Amino acid sequence: MSRSGIVNVRMVITEEKILSNIDKVQKMINPKSKKQIVQLDEDSYFKDLVESIKTYLQEYPKKKNFPSSVYNAAYGLVEFATNQFEENTKQIEELIRQREKNISLGAELKGYLEIVQNKEKNWKEKIKDAQENFGEDIIESLSIIGRCRSKKSENYQSAQKLINARIGNLESNLHIEIDMERIEDRSKALSYIGIEIADALKEIPVPAEEVKEAPVQAVEEVAEEYVPETFEVKPSLWQRFKNSKFVRAIKYVMSIRVVLDLPALPEGKTEN
């Protein structure tokens, strides 16, 4: 009886399971997904999925015969994580700029408040400049403070309370700090994928691509119109990861020290 058609059922099931786990992980780090990681340290399900993928990559018996479907899916997962990490970097940079702008606006608004409180000469003309950066509610409140003769009046107190609240919001940047923490948590999960999966993936030879032979006539026709092309090897995904500005941005804003020692992804793929 021929054994050529026999399939290792256990390995097929495992391969399908790992492909399913890779898909689950990718959905969990997808910013458009409803089920996202909140905190890496508390998400054991996510860690278990990543660990199962890592174990499969490391313990596969014959690396030369490693299934290309799993290799490509794992490589794609790391690439997707890298792209998301770089997108997080851009968001961090934008939040830094917004934070610095808010602090500057808070100081500017303080200056306008002092002008109207002290009833400085031409204060009405001076607060017109505030219209460029502040809304009508702020301009109106500044005008009320400038016009009021008594600091104990209800209108004066209400207007000053609104101005001080706005200054406090601009200086504290609470909403930005919350966004920063969320992005940091997502990026921890993304780096976890790189550390665990990319390190295991680099030990596996790149599966040979299947190439179909074209008819001789078709090859000759292509040869007549052949134009030399330049191919650039795709840079290591995790070299991009390590070079990201995200670490410096987090350190700058959150005053924390992050050290990443990430393995390079195998340089197996090329792109035109």
Side-chain angles (χ1 to χ4, degrees):
M1 180 177 178
S2 173
R3 299 177 60 86
S4 60
I6 295 179
V7 178
N8 188 327
V9 177
R10 181 176 179 276
M11 290 306 299
V12 170
I13 294 175
T14 303
E15 180 179 338
E16 292 178 351
K17 179 64 176 177
I18 292 303
L19 287 172
S20 175
N21 287 354
I22 291 174
D23 182 64
K24 290 175 182 177
V25 170
Q26 185 150 335
K27 287 179 179 178
M28 292 180 74
I29 63 174
N30 190 329
K32 297 181 180 180
S33 176
K34 293 182 179 179
K35 179 176 175 55
Q36 293 188 40
I37 300 168
V38 178
Q39 289 185 335
L40 175 63
D41 296 336
E42 298 178 3
D43 201 323
S44 58
Y45 177 66
F46 172 80
K47 287 185 175 181
D48 288 343
L49 288 174
V50 174
E51 183 64 26
S52 70
I53 299 168
K54 173 187 174 183
T55 301
Y56 184 89
L57 296 174
Q58 291 178 332
E59 298 183 359
Y60 195 86
K62 296 182 180 180
K63 296 292 193 291
K64 291 183 179 180
N65 297 329
F66 193 86
S68 60
S69 59
V70 176
Y71 181 92
N72 291 333
Y75 190 101
L77 175 62
V78 176
E79 185 171 34
F80 183 81
T82 303
N83 291 336
Q84 289 302 312
F85 192 96
E86 292 177 343
E87 184 61 32
N88 284 358
T89 301
K90 295 177 183 178
Q91 293 180 28
I92 288 291
E93 291 174 341
E94 179 58 33
L95 288 172
I96 290 173
R97 287 191 289 269
Q98 185 61 53
R99 180 176 183 270
E100 292 177 343
K101 181 180 179 181
N102 287 351
I103 292 173
S104 176
L105 288 174
E108 183 180 337
L109 186 53
K110 271 186 177 180
Y112 286 123
L113 179 59
E114 291 178 1
I115 289 174
V116 295
Q117 284 176 332
N118 298 330
K119 305 291 192 296
E120 292 185 11
K121 185 178 180 180
N122 298 326
W123 66 265
K124 292 182 180 180
E125 295 298 322
K126 291 179 180 179
I127 65 172
K128 286 183 179 180
D129 296 336
Q131 295 176 354
E132 182 177 350
N133 293 321
F134 301 101
E136 293 182 4
D137 58 336
I138 295 297
I139 304 302
E140 179 61 25
S141 296
L142 290 172
S143 298
I144 290 173
I145 294 173
R147 291 195 302 266
C148 285
R149 296 182 179 181
S150 173
K151 294 183 179 181
K152 296 181 179 180
S153 70
E154 184 177 346
N155 288 341
Y156 185 100
Q157 294 292 330
S158 296
Q160 183 168 260
K161 183 177 180 180
L162 187 149
I163 297 294
N164 286 332
R166 185 63 56 83
I167 292 172
N169 289 338
L170 290 170
E171 290 180 338
S172 67
N173 290 286
L174 181 59
H175 64 290
I176 289 181
E177 298 297 337
I178 293 173
D179 288 343
M180 290 285 294
E181 290 180 4
R182 289 174 179 171
I183 294 175
E184 182 190 10
D185 286 332
R186 289 202 302 269
S187 293
K188 283 181 180 178
L190 296 172
S191 64
Y192 185 76
I193 292 173
I195 293 170
E196 298 298 319
I197 297 181
D199 189 37
L201 195 60
K202 72 178 183 179
E203 302 298 330
I204 301 173
V206 180
E209 299 290 340
E210 294 183 3
V211 180
K212 295 182 179 180
E213 293 186 3
V216 176
Q217 183 177 358
V219 173
E220 291 176 350
E221 291 177 356
V222 172
E224 292 177 358
E225 300 179 1
Y226 175 75
V227 178
E229 295 182 358
T230 301
F231 293 88
E232 181 178 352
V233 176
K234 180 182 292 186
S236 168
L237 291 177
W238 290 100
Q239 192 61 40
R240 287 162 51 196
F241 190 99
K242 289 178 67 177
N243 292 338
S244 171
K245 297 178 182 178
F246 174 79
V247 175
R248 296 196 298 274
I250 285 290
K251 183 178 178 182
Y252 174 74
V253 178
M254 306 297 289
S255 299
I256 62 175
R257 184 172 183 271
V258 182
V259 178
L260 295 178
D261 184 14
L262 302 173
L265 197 66
E267 303 286 359
K269 296 197 173 186
T270 61
E271 62 183 8
N272 295 346

